[in-house]
Amino acid sequence: MEVQIEESWKHILQSEFDKPYFEKITNFVKSEVRAGKTVYPPGKLIFNAFEKTPFDKLKVVIIGQDPYHGAGQAHGLCFSVQRGIKPPPSLINIYKEIERDLNIAPPNHGCLEKWAQQGVFMLNSILTVRANEATSHSKIGWETFTDAVIFKISENKSGIIFLLWGNFARSKKTLIDMQKHFILEAAHPSPLAGNAFSGCRHFSKTNELLEKQGLQPIDWDLKN
Protein backbone atom coordinates (compact mmCIF):
# COMPACT_ATOMS: atom_id res chain seq x y z
CA MET A 1 0.00 0.00 0.00
CA GLU A 2 1.21 3.51 -0.83
CA VAL A 3 1.16 5.62 2.35
CA GLN A 4 2.10 9.30 2.51
CA ILE A 5 4.66 9.40 5.31
CA GLU A 6 8.12 10.84 5.90
CA GLU A 7 10.64 9.00 3.72
CA SER A 8 12.92 7.51 6.40
CA TRP A 9 9.89 6.06 8.20
CA LYS A 10 8.46 4.77 4.93
CA HIS A 11 11.61 2.74 4.39
CA ILE A 12 11.37 1.22 7.89
CA LEU A 13 7.60 0.61 7.87
CA GLN A 14 6.80 -0.41 4.28
CA SER A 15 6.47 -4.07 5.27
CA GLU A 16 3.69 -3.09 7.73
CA PHE A 17 1.88 -0.97 5.14
CA ASP A 18 1.83 -4.00 2.83
CA LYS A 19 0.09 -6.25 5.37
CA PRO A 20 -3.69 -6.89 5.19
CA TYR A 21 -4.37 -5.45 8.65
CA PHE A 22 -3.12 -2.02 7.59
CA GLU A 23 -5.47 -1.95 4.62
CA LYS A 24 -8.31 -2.77 7.03
CA ILE A 25 -7.34 0.23 9.20
CA THR A 26 -7.34 2.50 6.17
CA ASN A 27 -10.70 1.20 4.95
CA PHE A 28 -12.27 1.59 8.39
CA VAL A 29 -11.16 5.21 8.82
CA LYS A 30 -12.36 6.05 5.30
CA SER A 31 -15.72 4.39 6.00
CA GLU A 32 -16.14 6.50 9.15
CA VAL A 33 -15.62 9.68 7.15
CA ARG A 34 -17.96 8.51 4.38
CA ALA A 35 -20.61 7.83 7.04
CA GLY A 36 -20.40 11.45 8.17
CA LYS A 37 -18.40 10.79 11.34
CA THR A 38 -15.82 13.35 12.42
CA VAL A 39 -12.43 11.71 12.91
CA TYR A 40 -9.48 13.26 14.75
CA PRO A 41 -6.81 14.19 13.97
CA PRO A 42 -7.47 15.39 10.39
CA GLY A 43 -6.17 12.98 7.76
CA LYS A 44 -3.06 14.99 6.91
CA LEU A 45 -2.02 14.96 10.60
CA ILE A 46 -2.50 11.25 11.39
CA PHE A 47 1.22 10.63 10.80
CA ASN A 48 2.36 14.01 12.14
CA ALA A 49 4.65 12.45 14.78
CA PHE A 50 6.48 10.66 11.97
CA GLU A 51 6.69 13.81 9.85
CA LYS A 52 8.02 15.98 12.67
CA THR A 53 10.54 13.40 13.95
CA PRO A 54 12.21 11.51 11.08
CA PHE A 55 13.51 8.06 11.98
CA ASP A 56 17.14 9.08 11.59
CA LYS A 57 16.68 12.05 13.98
CA LEU A 58 14.90 10.12 16.73
CA LYS A 59 16.41 10.26 20.25
CA VAL A 60 13.52 10.00 22.72
CA VAL A 61 10.15 8.19 22.59
CA ILE A 62 7.06 9.18 24.59
CA ILE A 63 4.17 6.72 24.34
CA GLY A 64 0.55 7.83 24.72
CA GLN A 65 -2.66 5.91 24.25
CA ASP A 66 -5.48 7.66 22.41
CA PRO A 67 -5.73 10.98 20.55
CA TYR A 68 -7.68 13.79 22.18
CA HIS A 69 -11.27 13.61 20.93
CA GLY A 70 -12.33 17.26 21.27
CA ALA A 71 -12.52 19.74 18.40
CA GLY A 72 -9.17 21.20 17.35
CA GLN A 73 -7.12 19.32 19.94
CA ALA A 74 -5.43 16.31 18.34
CA HIS A 75 -2.69 16.90 15.79
CA GLY A 76 -0.84 13.61 15.78
CA LEU A 77 1.57 14.12 18.71
CA CYS A 78 0.67 12.45 22.01
CA PHE A 79 -0.09 14.86 24.89
CA SER A 80 0.17 17.84 22.50
CA VAL A 81 -2.65 20.12 21.35
CA GLN A 82 -2.72 22.70 18.60
CA ARG A 83 -1.99 26.32 19.41
CA GLY A 84 -5.03 28.23 20.58
CA ILE A 85 -6.37 25.18 22.45
CA LYS A 86 -6.17 25.15 26.25
CA PRO A 87 -3.56 22.62 27.51
CA PRO A 88 -5.34 19.55 28.93
CA PRO A 89 -4.81 18.48 32.57
CA SER A 90 -2.15 15.83 31.84
CA LEU A 91 -0.10 18.32 29.85
CA ILE A 92 -0.41 20.89 32.63
CA ASN A 93 1.07 18.32 35.02
CA ILE A 94 3.90 17.65 32.55
CA TYR A 95 4.64 21.38 32.51
CA LYS A 96 4.60 21.48 36.32
CA GLU A 97 7.17 18.68 36.46
CA ILE A 98 9.41 20.46 33.94
CA GLU A 99 9.26 23.57 36.10
CA ARG A 100 10.02 21.55 39.23
CA ASP A 101 12.81 19.60 37.52
CA LEU A 102 14.47 22.27 35.37
CA ASN A 103 13.06 25.57 36.66
CA ILE A 104 11.46 26.24 33.27
CA ALA A 105 8.18 28.13 33.54
CA PRO A 106 5.27 26.72 31.51
CA PRO A 107 4.35 28.23 28.13
CA ASN A 108 0.96 29.75 27.31
CA HIS A 109 0.13 27.01 24.78
CA GLY A 110 0.04 23.22 24.51
CA CYS A 111 1.90 22.59 21.25
CA LEU A 112 4.89 20.26 21.64
CA GLU A 113 6.19 20.46 18.07
CA LYS A 114 9.46 22.03 19.25
CA TRP A 115 10.24 18.82 21.13
CA ALA A 116 9.36 16.69 18.10
CA GLN A 117 11.72 18.71 15.91
CA GLN A 118 14.56 17.94 18.33
CA GLY A 119 14.04 14.17 18.14
CA VAL A 120 11.29 13.50 20.69
CA PHE A 121 8.94 11.03 18.99
CA MET A 122 5.48 11.40 20.56
CA LEU A 123 3.55 8.30 19.56
CA ASN A 124 -0.04 7.46 20.45
CA SER A 125 -0.76 3.74 20.39
CA ILE A 126 -4.02 4.52 18.58
CA LEU A 127 -3.69 7.09 15.81
CA THR A 128 -7.31 8.11 15.19
CA VAL A 129 -10.50 8.59 17.20
CA ARG A 130 -14.14 9.44 16.54
CA ALA A 131 -15.12 12.90 17.80
CA ASN A 132 -16.21 12.90 21.44
CA GLU A 133 -15.81 9.12 21.76
CA ALA A 134 -12.61 8.19 23.59
CA THR A 135 -10.88 4.97 22.40
CA SER A 136 -13.53 4.53 19.67
CA HIS A 137 -10.83 3.34 17.22
CA SER A 138 -9.03 1.13 19.72
CA LYS A 139 -9.93 -2.19 18.08
CA ILE A 140 -9.31 -1.47 14.40
CA GLY A 141 -5.64 -2.50 14.24
CA TRP A 142 -3.71 0.63 15.19
CA GLU A 143 -2.11 -1.10 18.20
CA THR A 144 -0.68 -3.77 15.89
CA PHE A 145 0.88 -1.04 13.78
CA THR A 146 2.26 1.08 16.61
CA ASP A 147 3.61 -1.97 18.45
CA ALA A 148 5.50 -2.76 15.24
CA VAL A 149 6.79 0.84 15.19
CA ILE A 150 8.14 0.52 18.75
CA PHE A 151 9.69 -2.86 17.96
CA LYS A 152 11.36 -1.54 14.80
CA ILE A 153 12.77 1.45 16.69
CA SER A 154 14.21 -0.97 19.26
CA GLU A 155 15.56 -3.28 16.58
CA ASN A 156 17.11 -0.66 14.29
CA LYS A 157 18.36 1.98 16.74
CA SER A 158 20.43 2.05 19.92
CA GLY A 159 20.57 4.38 22.90
CA ILE A 160 16.97 5.57 22.56
CA ILE A 161 15.34 6.87 25.74
CA PHE A 162 11.80 5.55 26.20
CA LEU A 163 9.58 7.51 28.60
CA LEU A 164 6.83 5.17 29.80
CA TRP A 165 4.16 7.00 31.77
CA GLY A 166 1.39 4.92 33.30
CA ASN A 167 0.54 1.24 33.13
CA PHE A 168 -0.50 1.31 29.48
CA ALA A 169 2.84 2.72 28.31
CA ARG A 170 4.72 0.39 30.67
CA SER A 171 3.05 -2.58 28.97
CA LYS A 172 5.14 -1.77 25.88
CA LYS A 173 8.40 -2.69 27.67
CA THR A 174 8.22 -6.16 26.14
CA LEU A 175 8.79 -4.60 22.70
CA ILE A 176 12.02 -2.85 23.75
CA ASP A 177 15.50 -4.37 23.98
CA MET A 178 16.62 -3.12 27.39
CA GLN A 179 20.21 -4.08 26.62
CA LYS A 180 20.33 -1.45 23.84
CA HIS A 181 18.04 1.29 25.12
CA PHE A 182 17.12 3.28 28.22
CA ILE A 183 13.70 3.08 29.89
CA LEU A 184 12.41 5.67 32.35
CA GLU A 185 9.12 4.77 34.05
CA ALA A 186 6.67 6.93 35.98
CA ALA A 187 3.00 7.20 36.81
CA HIS A 188 0.75 8.78 34.21
CA PRO A 189 0.67 12.60 34.41
CA SER A 190 -3.13 12.55 34.55
CA PRO A 191 -4.68 14.15 37.66
CA LEU A 192 -6.44 10.79 38.12
CA ALA A 193 -3.06 9.44 39.27
CA GLY A 194 -2.90 12.06 42.01
CA ASN A 195 0.58 13.53 42.35
CA ALA A 196 2.34 10.28 41.44
CA PHE A 197 4.00 11.78 38.33
CA SER A 198 5.47 14.59 40.41
CA GLY A 199 9.17 14.24 41.13
CA CYS A 200 10.01 11.76 38.36
CA ARG A 201 12.59 14.19 36.95
CA HIS A 202 12.40 12.49 33.56
CA PHE A 203 13.32 15.65 31.69
CA SER A 204 16.69 16.22 33.37
CA LYS A 205 17.35 12.46 33.42
CA THR A 206 16.69 12.28 29.67
CA ASN A 207 19.19 15.05 29.02
CA GLU A 208 21.80 13.40 31.24
CA LEU A 209 21.45 10.17 29.24
CA LEU A 210 21.71 12.04 25.94
CA GLU A 211 24.81 13.93 27.05
CA LYS A 212 26.48 10.70 28.20
CA GLN A 213 26.07 9.49 24.61
CA GLY A 214 27.57 12.71 23.24
CA LEU A 215 24.19 13.88 21.94
CA GLN A 216 22.58 17.31 22.11
CA PRO A 217 20.18 17.53 25.07
CA ILE A 218 16.52 18.47 24.52
CA ASP A 219 15.55 22.09 25.06
CA TRP A 220 12.31 21.51 26.95
CA ASP A 221 11.50 25.23 27.10
CA LEU A 222 8.52 25.86 24.82
CA LYS A 223 8.30 29.60 25.38
CA ASN A 224 10.75 30.49 22.60
Side-chain angles (χ1 to χ4, degrees):
M1 176 175 286
E2 188 67 25
V3 174
Q4 296 300 311
I5 194 169
E6 192 276 332
E7 202 59 38
S8 64
W9 281 109
K10 190 170 190 176
H11 174 73
I12 291 292
L13 297 173
Q14 188 59 57
S15 61
E16 296 303 310
F17 298 145
D18 290 339
K19 291 178 180 176
Y21 84 84
F22 196 85
E23 186 172 6
K24 288 181 181 177
I25 295 172
T26 302
N27 290 340
F28 180 90
V29 174
K30 287 179 178 177
S31 71
E32 291 271 89
V33 174
R34 282 197 302 270
K37 305 288 186 183
T38 299
V39 174
Y40 297 130
K44 65 180 181 180
L45 295 176
I46 291 172
F47 294 111
N48 197 29
F50 301 83
E51 296 295 333
K52 291 290 188 293
T53 310
F55 186 79
D56 50 4
K57 306 285 188 189
L58 191 156
K59 299 191 287 190
V60 180
V61 176
I62 300 176
I63 298 173
Q65 186 169 4
D66 196 41
Y68 295 121
H69 53 81
Q73 291 181 307
H75 66 133
L77 308 178
C78 71
F79 294 104
S80 181
V81 292
Q82 300 189 68
R83 286 180 181 268
I85 300 294
K86 181 181 177 182
S90 292
L91 184 53
I92 288 172
N93 281 343
I94 290 169
Y95 287 166
K96 287 179 179 177
E97 181 59 23
I98 292 173
E99 184 167 23
R100 186 181 298 109
D101 188 15
L102 296 169
N103 200 31
I104 295 171
N108 60 3
H109 63 85
C111 181
L112 307 181
E113 285 187 356
K114 181 181 174 183
W115 296 355
Q117 290 161 354
Q118 297 176 79
V120 181
F121 182 54
M122 288 170 274
L123 178 69
N124 273 318
S125 181
I126 303 158
L127 296 188
T128 56
V129 67
R130 196 180 301 137
N132 306 314
E133 294 182 44
T135 68
S136 49
H137 287 184
S138 65
K139 303 298 182 187
I140 69 170
W142 277 129
E143 295 97 328
T144 302
F145 174 69
T146 53
D147 280 359
V149 172
I150 296 166
F151 180 79
K152 286 176 184 293
I153 292 170
S154 176
E155 188 177 43
N156 291 281
K157 307 281 276 188
S158 62
I160 301 299
I161 301 152
F162 289 85
L163 305 184
L164 306 183
W165 299 339
N167 290 334
F168 178 83
R170 284 170 165 166
S171 73
K172 304 301 181 180
K173 274 198 298 186
T174 57
L175 302 167
I176 302 163
D177 184 343
M178 288 182 264
Q179 304 302 312
K180 293 170 59 183
H181 303 285
F182 305 96
I183 293 178
L184 299 178
E185 297 181 54
H188 197 280
S190 167
L192 297 175
N195 275 330
F197 183 74
S198 175
C200 71
R201 297 187 59 243
H202 277 191
F203 306 96
S204 62
K205 289 177 180 178
T206 292
N207 282 350
E208 288 166 10
L209 290 169
L210 290 172
E211 288 175 324
K212 282 180 181 176
Q213 297 181 77
L215 298 172
Q216 185 75 19
I218 305 300
D219 178 5
W220 299 105
D221 192 346
L222 293 164
K223 293 190 302 299
N224 48 40

